[in-house]
Amino acid sequence: MCPYEEVPRFPFSYRGDRIAPELAGRAEHRPVSRVRANSGDLAWLVTGHREVRQVLEDDDRFSLARTADPTAPQQDPVPPPASFSCFDRLMRKAGMREVLLRGLGAGQQHVTPAQVERATRDALRTMTRQGGEGDLVGQVCLPVAATVTCLLLGLPAEDAPRLEPCFAVLWSGTDPSPLPLEATHLDTYMTQQLARLRRSPEGLLGDLVARHDQRRVLSDGELTEICTVLLLSGLGNPASLLAFSAFSLLREPRLLDTLGARPWLVPRAVEELLRVSVMLGDGLARIAVEDVEVGGEHIRAGDLVLVSPDAANADPGVFADPGRLDLGRDTRRHVRFGRGRHRCPGAAVTRMLARAYLRVLVEELPGMRLTVSPESVEWRTQTAVTLPVALPVTWAPSPARR
């Protein structure tokens, strides 16, 4: 084992504008390597596309649930709540997984493209009425993510603004910051909402509560935690993707103008943005259940394994010139939504959200440009998903509203 000082700390960076230089070459040359996690514990970092798929698809030998064991090596100083690590097991135990998959699948009816477009258009027009410059993150990405999450889950639409700061709960790092007041009251808020949804079911949470109450396998605390996980996931991951998509296109205005002139390319653009995005502030944690070889390295039972889909999607052995945003690229092998049993169930909703958002963005704000250099954009630190602090932009008036 390498001496402490020779093992690099991971994550290498919280910036979302590029793969960290320390990460970029590992997928090809060192697909499995030793790092030290935020907790100080040693871990295996898996970056190669083939190796990432191997770990994520082998649920029997690489356990997500065991990351909640406080005696296991940890990714962060504070172990994740069991509701995060054991989410899939709890859903299966309660007979709620099928309801979840149906409620997040391509045929779900809780939130429609038209509603996403309306939320995006409303946020953009609110921003543009306030002057010739604005912040896409604070005025558009977070409000849209919160509004759509409320629609999807069945939470009151008027609660969206108070839920936006709860993004801060998605923490990952060495020095936890104080949470916003709204985030500290999440359990109380969700308990109140579940009582309301029992009286008047709506949205995905209404469906899940109804199924739960048929069997009542979970405790009230477990049910509250599961629903809170869905709320936080609905805020964090979409907000990160919407912000990264806007930033990537603003960094290459030619592509932004192309989508404005050829909106039928938006679905293809979304897939490439999913591939090239740097969305994880850390990695997907697993605990090895038994000794296993990955990428030529011998991983022992009990070892912490951190998987980087960001690095796998930049593996030059799979994607030529991986750092280039290419709307003509075959993106079918990207692993943004994971693999195996724990593959993200919200993939269809995320795609729908991103497509509707981008269509409205290029329509409403033609000629949109950053007011600072891309290198000057500041990114939030110590977060489990990457997000700019702000995206300051200016724009030309929309032809439809001149």
Side-chain angles (χ1 to χ4, degrees):
M1 183 172 65
C2 298
Y4 184 100
E5 62 272 12
E6 294 182 7
V7 180
R9 173 82 64 173
F10 180 79
F12 305 123
S13 169
Y14 287 100
R15 293 189 65 86
D17 54 347
R18 62 183 180 274
I19 289 282
E22 301 92 331
L23 195 59
R26 289 177 184 252
E28 184 176 17
H29 302 295
R30 297 183 65 193
V32 181
S33 59
R34 274 300 211 186
V35 294
R36 198 168 290 277
N38 284 323
S39 65
D41 290 336
L42 283 170
W44 292 100
L45 176 62
V46 182
T47 54
H49 188 273
R50 179 175 60 186
E51 291 77 15
V52 163
R53 288 189 57 169
Q54 177 184 346
V55 172
L56 294 181
E57 292 174 0
D58 192 347
D59 301 305
D60 294 328
R61 293 194 290 180
F62 296 97
S63 170
L64 173 59
R66 293 195 185 189
T67 62
D69 181 352
T71 66
Q74 295 295 322
Q75 183 171 23
D76 293 305
V78 180
S83 54
F84 278 81
S85 303
C86 303
F87 181 84
D88 186 73
R89 181 177 63 80
L90 291 173
M91 296 296 285
R92 291 175 185 273
K93 175 182 174 183
M96 295 159 57
R97 191 170 188 273
E98 295 74 16
V99 177
L100 177 72
L101 296 178
R102 187 167 59 249
L104 293 176
Q108 63 81 28
Q109 296 297 314
H110 301 305
V111 59
T112 66
Q115 289 173 310
V116 177
E117 290 176 359
R118 187 180 310 117
T120 305
R121 190 169 285 111
D122 288 348
L124 287 169
R125 292 184 177 182
T126 298
M127 180 180 73
T128 56
R129 281 196 298 267
Q130 297 175 5
E133 295 185 6
D135 168 26
L136 273 183
V137 173
Q139 294 177 280
V140 180
C141 298
L142 281 171
V144 169
T147 298
V148 171
T149 298
C150 286
L151 290 169
L152 175 66
L153 298 185
L155 300 175
E158 59 269 23
D159 288 354
R162 65 182 284 202
L163 293 174
E164 289 175 34
C166 296
F167 179 91
V169 176
L170 297 166
W171 168 82
S172 174
T174 57
D175 182 22
S177 301
L179 293 176
L181 181 62
E182 294 85 351
T184 63
H185 295 163
L186 261 183
D187 283 349
T188 301
Y189 172 80
M190 189 57 70
T191 299
Q192 294 169 346
Q193 290 304 312
L194 294 183
R196 179 185 64 83
L197 290 169
R198 282 191 167 100
R199 297 190 302 268
S200 179
E202 59 179 310
L204 176 58
L205 295 189
D207 292 344
L208 290 172
V209 169
R211 174 60 62 88
H212 166 268
D213 288 353
Q214 292 174 2
R215 301 175 59 181
R216 292 193 174 273
V217 173
L218 304 180
S219 68
D220 289 343
E222 287 174 325
L223 179 63
T224 299
E225 287 186 1
I226 280 177
C227 293
T228 302
V229 169
L230 290 171
L231 169 60
L232 294 174
S233 299
L235 286 172
N237 295 322
S240 177
L241 177 59
L242 298 186
F244 179 85
S245 298
F247 173 82
S248 297
L249 294 173
L250 287 164
R251 187 166 50 180
E252 300 189 45
R254 175 183 55 83
L255 293 179
L256 186 65
D257 295 340
T258 295
L259 291 182
R262 303 166 67 186
W264 57 87
L265 291 176
V266 164
R268 182 178 294 180
V270 167
E271 291 305 310
E272 174 66 345
L273 288 164
L274 284 166
R275 181 199 68 82
V276 79
S277 59
V278 183
M279 288 180 61
L280 282 177
D282 44 22
L284 302 178
R286 301 289 189 268
I287 297 294
V289 176
E290 60 185 59
D291 289 8
V292 59
E293 184 170 303
V294 180
E297 298 287 352
H298 184 74
I299 297 176
R300 297 188 179 280
D303 283 356
L304 174 63
V305 179
L306 301 176
V307 177
S308 176
D310 293 341
N313 287 336
D315 188 335
V318 179
F319 304 103
D321 193 7
R324 182 168 63 92
L325 188 60
D326 180 3
L327 302 189
R329 187 190 303 274
D330 181 354
T331 58
R332 287 175 293 181
R333 297 178 67 186
H334 79 68
V335 291
R336 173 56 54 211
F337 296 113
R339 308 284 297 188
R341 182 189 308 161
H342 300 291
R343 185 178 189 275
C344 175
V349 170
T350 299
R351 286 186 167 103
M352 181 272 289
L353 167 62
R355 291 170 184 175
Y357 161 82
L358 280 184
R359 281 195 297 267
V360 174
L361 191 67
V362 299
E363 172 192 328
E364 288 283 317
L365 295 185
M368 180 174 58
R369 297 293 185 264
L370 282 170
T371 62
V372 299
S373 69
E375 296 75 21
S376 300
V377 171
E378 184 180 356
W379 295 79
R380 300 188 187 207
T381 60
Q382 300 200 118
T383 57
V385 292
T386 59
L387 191 74
V389 173
L391 278 181
V393 294
T394 187
W395 52 85
S398 170
R401 295 187 283 118
R402 283 176 179 166

